[in-house]
Amino acid sequence: MRLSTYFLPILKETPSEAQIASHRLMLRAGLIRQASAGIYSWLPMGFKILRKLETIVHEEQIRAGHHPMLMPTLQSADLWRESGRYDDYGQEMLRITDRHGRDMLYGPTNEELITDIFRNSVKSYKDLPLTLYHIQWKFRDEIRPRFGVMRGREFFMKDGYNFDLTKEDALHAYNRHFVSYLRTYERMGLKAIPMRADGGPIGGDYTHEFLVLADTGESEVFYDRAVTDLSFGDREVDFGDVDGLQSIYETWTTPYARTDETHDAALFDAVPEERRMTSRGIEVGQIFYFGTKYSDAMKAEVVTESGDRVPVHMGSHGIGVSRLIGAIIEASHDDNGIIWPEGVTPFHAGIVNLKQGDTDADAACDQLYKGLMARGLEPLYDDREERAGAKFATMDLIGLPWRITVGPRGLKNGVVEVTSRRTGDSENMSPEAAIDRIAQIYKGV
Ligand code: ATP
Ligand code: MG
């Protein structure tokens, strides 16, 4: 992308309504604009990042054997009356009446709709196990939308639902989600710690929230520092291996890690003092096993091998895709701007032409631009007639992990400069070597 032709409306001033770094930086870097309270438009670069996160979520869900689909944002109130949640959900639910006077709602979540789809089509134990998910906009009329996309009213969420014959099978589905979430967050360059959580209004005995540590997080968390040393890496996972997944689950849940809702001071005190950590965290996902709560209420049953009709065991599993962008920025920024992890960056590298219009500099930038694209990468070429200082400030603000700086002086020696946004370290090399270097970095990302 050539910056001169892109739509990247950067703000010089710090927007006064933004209280936390991620909100400020998302507005300043031209990623989002507020449409109304807690509702945002996603400008081209913000939308690009949202799509990248969505793709990672899809890839990891499909890898775990879960099936993507798409349910609508608007739902009929009737299904929610059946489950009993139409009244329970309260003011957070946006209720709408259509021209025929029918009660509708903008879905805050989808247990009812998916259970209805399931019960109308699945009748036999032979069709289980089954996990369906979608990534769709949700609406919750939050009393206090704030912090930009972190606590929006309209937000983008992955929600998945497992249907199983037995509790044992459903707990395997729980573990599949647990492990696929670990992989998902790690690919996004995030450390998200699974913490034992409270069932809340959805109910359920088994539930974990995944939290990204950040001072601006809304949850208070207590954990054994040992859990932060765990990393998933690129190990192969067989999602059908019941014991294998259980053992990964146990590795991650053995160290103490809980939110304030389930915190147990006595257990926490048993953790060696130097490893006892208290902090704040941003909830970027949650998994639940809730048994037959919805299948009982909505008669989602299958016939077993012996001919009995039994309600299915279910769970629901969510990832806050739009909130994740805020969480990533909270975890990865400095005074000058965002620092995108390689796995989610909107462009792989920025090219800064220090002297636009200089024949050699223009030619070298062109060579880099085309060369990176030929390697399947997406560069952002700052080809504007701007001062070097302004170009550097823009690159720092938007946070591409790698910058290639091209100027007539370096080119006299046949070199351009490759700079890491994270460390600030620079190295001079030929344009060909710079292309190789960037391509090498993104291999396997
Ligand atoms: P919270 O406690 O933050 O209100 P929740 O527990 O009600 O969230 P879930 O029903 O677990 O939310 O939804 C799954 C995920 O969707 C959450 O883990 C979170 O990342 C995201 N999410 C929930 N509410 C919002 C919101 N208002 N804005 C942005 N993302 C949200
Ligand atoms: Mg939650």
Side-chain angles (χ1 to χ4, degrees):
M1 181 62 62
R2 287 174 185 271
L3 191 48
S4 63
T5 64
Y6 202 37
F7 182 62
L8 188 68
I10 278 171
L11 303 179
K12 294 229 163 47
E13 309 297 319
T14 297
S16 58
E17 74 269 28
Q19 302 165 31
I20 62 171
S22 58
H23 189 193
R24 253 188 328 265
L25 291 170
M26 287 185 78
L27 290 168
R28 283 199 53 215
L31 306 186
I32 53 167
R33 286 294 180 264
Q34 182 172 307
S36 59
I39 303 178
Y40 292 87
S41 299
W42 293 78
L43 306 187
M45 202 159 77
F47 181 58
K48 211 161 185 303
I49 300 157
L50 193 66
R51 282 283 171 261
K52 282 217 164 177
L53 298 191
E54 185 184 7
T55 301
I56 292 174
V57 173
H58 272 303
E59 286 174 0
E60 295 304 326
Q61 287 310 299
I62 291 166
R63 194 196 302 277
H66 306 157
H67 305 298
M69 60 181 290
L70 187 60
M71 287 176 271
T73 52
L74 295 186
Q75 303 180 20
S76 156
D78 291 344
L79 288 174
W80 288 71
R81 291 201 173 98
E82 237 185 281
S83 72
R85 282 209 295 181
Y86 191 62
D87 294 327
D88 291 353
Y89 218 94
Q91 299 236 292
E92 266 190 23
M93 179 183 279
L94 180 65
R95 295 154 207 262
I96 304 159
T97 309
D98 73 10
R99 67 197 296 165
H100 304 292
R102 281 189 288 253
D103 292 329
M104 312 279 293
L105 56 100
Y106 193 135
T109 174
N110 282 61
E111 281 81 4
E112 285 76 0
L113 190 51
I114 195 79
T115 305
D116 184 53
I117 291 169
F118 177 87
R119 69 179 173 186
N120 291 333
S121 301
V122 179
K123 307 289 179 198
S124 161
Y125 75 97
K126 288 182 191 151
D127 298 322
L128 304 181
L130 180 66
T131 296
L132 301 169
Y133 77 93
H134 73 163
I135 306 180
Q136 176 62 292
W137 293 95
K138 304 291 185 298
F139 195 94
R140 295 183 190 171
D141 204 353
E142 301 275 355
I143 188 159
R144 227 156 48 101
R146 59 182 186 152
F147 300 161
V149 300
M150 285 281 219
R151 182 162 298 283
R153 293 197 297 163
E154 190 184 47
F155 60 98
F156 203 43
M157 175 175 131
K158 171 260 164 183
D159 43 323
Y161 305 88
N162 68 284
F163 301 91
D164 287 280
L165 186 59
T166 62
K167 176 173 180 182
E168 202 180 24
D169 292 348
L171 290 180
H172 176 57
Y174 188 87
N175 287 350
R176 276 201 317 272
H177 284 89
F178 188 94
V179 172
S180 67
Y181 281 24
L182 290 177
R183 287 187 58 107
T184 302
Y185 299 123
E186 239 182 73
R187 277 187 65 186
M188 295 174 180
L190 274 178
K191 201 165 260 310
I193 305 173
M195 301 205 181
R196 204 171 141 151
D198 183 42
I202 296 185
D205 309 327
Y206 295 80
T207 175
H208 281 85
E209 287 177 354
F210 291 77
L211 287 114
V212 171
L213 301 176
D215 297 339
T216 48
E218 292 184 302
S219 315
E220 192 174 15
V221 299
F222 304 84
Y223 60 96
D224 177 343
R225 205 180 53 217
V227 74
T228 59
D229 296 335
L230 296 171
S231 85
F232 201 81
D234 50 12
R235 69 175 98 173
E236 281 299 313
V237 186
D238 173 357
F239 280 94
D241 175 2
V242 173
D243 295 338
L245 290 196
Q246 178 63 20
S247 117
I248 297 171
Y249 170 81
E250 281 167 15
T251 305
W252 255 268
T253 53
T254 302
Y256 186 91
R258 295 191 182 195
T259 63
D260 50 2
E261 290 165 345
T262 54
H263 180 53
D264 180 326
L267 283 179
F268 190 50
D269 283 346
V271 176
E273 195 175 353
E274 70 280 7
R275 298 208 320 246
R276 238 179 273 156
M277 313 295 288
T278 305
S279 160
R280 307 216 45 100
I282 302 166
E283 181 193 329
V284 292
Q286 184 162 16
I287 57 177
F288 280 102
Y289 161 69
F290 46 65
T292 57
K293 179 178 158 89
Y294 294 92
S295 43
D296 281 334
M298 297 180 67
K299 295 258 168 311
E301 298 173 338
V302 291
V303 176
T304 65
E305 203 170 358
S306 54
D308 301 329
R309 289 180 71 83
V310 297
V312 288
H313 287 256
M314 291 175 60
S316 72
H317 316 276
I319 294 181
V321 181
S322 49
R323 176 181 287 181
L324 268 166
I325 299 186
I328 293 170
I329 298 174
E330 285 300 320
S332 185
H333 70 272
D334 63 16
D335 290 346
N336 298 326
I338 302 168
I339 306 173
W340 291 114
E342 269 96 3
V344 301
T345 184
F347 294 95
H348 298 101
I351 302 170
V352 169
N353 189 341
L354 294 178
K355 199 155 189 214
Q356 207 66 46
D358 176 271
T359 318
D360 290 344
D362 289 1
C365 285
D366 250 37
Q367 180 193 352
L368 287 164
Y369 186 62
K370 292 188 179 131
L372 288 167
M373 288 198 295
R375 297 292 194 84
L377 298 170
E378 276 189 288
L380 179 67
Y381 172 17
D382 190 345
D383 59 344
R384 298 170 304 161
E385 307 279 345
E386 280 277 0
R387 294 178 298 108
K391 289 191 176 187
F392 288 143
T394 297
M395 282 297 170
D396 282 351
L397 174 63
I398 66 176
L400 309 184
W402 297 94
R403 186 186 79 206
I404 309 176
T405 310
V406 180
R409 208 179 312 156
L411 287 176
K412 278 210 181 77
N413 301 316
V415 297
V416 297
E417 185 189 54
V418 175
T419 307
S420 156
R421 173 69 180 85
R422 191 170 293 281
T423 64
D425 294 343
S426 291
E427 207 182 315
N428 288 332
M429 59 189 85
S430 69
E432 295 78 16
I435 294 168
D436 281 344
R437 171 70 61 88
I438 303 291
Q440 190 60 34
I441 288 165
Y442 285 100
K443 233 164 105 184
V445 168

